Amino acid sequence: MQFTSEQRLDDGVLEREFTLGEIPGTLWTPGSAPAPLVLMAHNNGLPKAEPRLVARARYTVARGYAVATIDASGCGDRPRSAADEQARADLRRAMQAGEPVDEIFESFIGPLVENAVPEWQTTLDALFELPEIGGPVGYSGGWTALGIRLAVVEPRIAAAGFFAGGYVPRAQREEARQVTIPLLFLLQWDDEGNPRQQALDLFDAFGSKEKTLHANLGGHTGTPWFELEDGCRFLDRHLK
């Protein structure tokens, strides 16, 4: 892991950009003492500098956590393959025409998850070599499909907050039954791109004995800010 930039922000948070091979990432830490680590994942081509993600990260760090994110393949400045570009074009065309899009999502999101998991595990290995990172680890992100897969294969993750706002491939819907860590599941009741019943079925499928569903009125980007505070209280219960 090589740090490429470093700045101390107004609230005392240390923000560092890093590269790990071809993987670009950002690490925010509250200080020099070891802190529990929260992984914040994003998808849909968004960059790690996306303002909502950065705001969530800084709020979480202010609660005493280290937070890390990386740009997965096809996100931010990382190149997109010709197959990715074709899938995105097919998706836009189908949505504009009002055609079914599940099979397009399936062929597009599934490989992204499979490729992203080992990159996140490699990043996690490197982060745990830093003295300012301690365990356990939490997952908090809008990329629920990735979070499900990581929760199944990565024993260092002790709790997860998922946002029911993106497509979850069939493989991860089946894997949800193997997820047993504590969960907080956020659902926007009027999310135009995420069928409500599908999200409720996914919540029901999780194998966790402790799982909580928070549903709020509004569309995809309308999650109330207080859910971030509730999410940190959830992390406090399981990571501190």
Side-chain angles (χ1 to χ4, degrees), residues 5-237:
S5 69
E6 176 179 314
Q7 62 174 329
R8 182 72 66 176
L9 305 177
D10 292 341
D11 51 8
V13 172
L14 181 62
E15 179 184 85
R16 286 174 286 177
E17 302 290 326
F18 65 83
T19 58
L20 187 60
E22 298 180 353
I23 307 168
T26 306
L27 174 65
W28 296 268
T29 51
S32 58
L37 176 64
V38 177
L39 307 178
M40 288 193 176
H42 57 285
N43 192 15
N44 297 328
L46 294 173
K48 54 189 173 56
E50 201 275 327
R52 286 186 299 160
L53 185 145
V54 173
R56 286 173 48 226
R58 292 181 60 173
Y59 184 94
T60 305
V61 174
R63 293 286 293 258
Y65 295 95
V67 174
T69 189
I70 63 172
D71 277 342
S73 177
C75 291
D77 295 329
R78 294 188 70 177
R80 296 179 181 178
S81 68
D84 287 348
E85 294 290 8
Q86 184 61 53
R88 292 176 190 274
D90 291 345
L91 183 60
R92 287 192 295 269
R93 179 196 57 76
M95 293 180 71
Q96 291 170 358
E99 298 173 358
V101 295
D102 275 14
E103 289 307 314
I104 300 175
F105 270 126
E106 191 74 31
S107 63
F108 177 45
I109 302 298
L112 285 181
V113 172
E114 291 300 322
N115 292 332
V117 167
E119 291 193 339
W120 273 99
Q121 291 184 299
T122 297
T123 302
L124 192 53
D125 290 340
L127 289 169
F128 265 97
E129 294 179 2
L130 302 175
E132 58 268 42
I133 302 299
V137 180
Y139 179 93
S140 176
W143 196 356
T144 296
L146 173 66
I148 291 172
R149 183 77 178 130
L150 282 174
V152 171
V153 302
E154 181 48 68
R156 287 172 289 190
I157 296 178
F162 294 148
F163 172 57
Y167 182 81
V168 177
R170 285 187 288 268
Q172 276 67 62
R173 277 179 262 163
E174 287 297 320
E175 284 184 319
R177 306 180 192 283
Q178 302 175 46
V179 175
T180 58
I181 59 175
L183 293 179
L184 176 61
F185 196 57
L186 302 183
L187 169 63
Q188 285 301 104
W189 203 245
D190 308 299
D191 193 331
E192 58 278 8
N194 186 50
R196 184 188 306 164
Q197 190 58 53
Q198 185 170 296
L200 294 173
D201 290 344
L202 179 61
F203 177 76
D204 189 51
F206 286 122
S208 304
K209 292 183 178 179
E210 180 182 337
K211 55 182 179 179
T212 302
L213 172 67
H214 285 187
N216 291 282
L217 298 177
H220 184 76
T221 60
T223 304
W225 185 252
F226 62 72
E227 288 292 0
L228 183 54
E229 181 180 357
D230 287 347
C232 284
R233 284 200 292 264
F234 167 79
L235 293 173
D236 289 346
R237 291 197 299 274

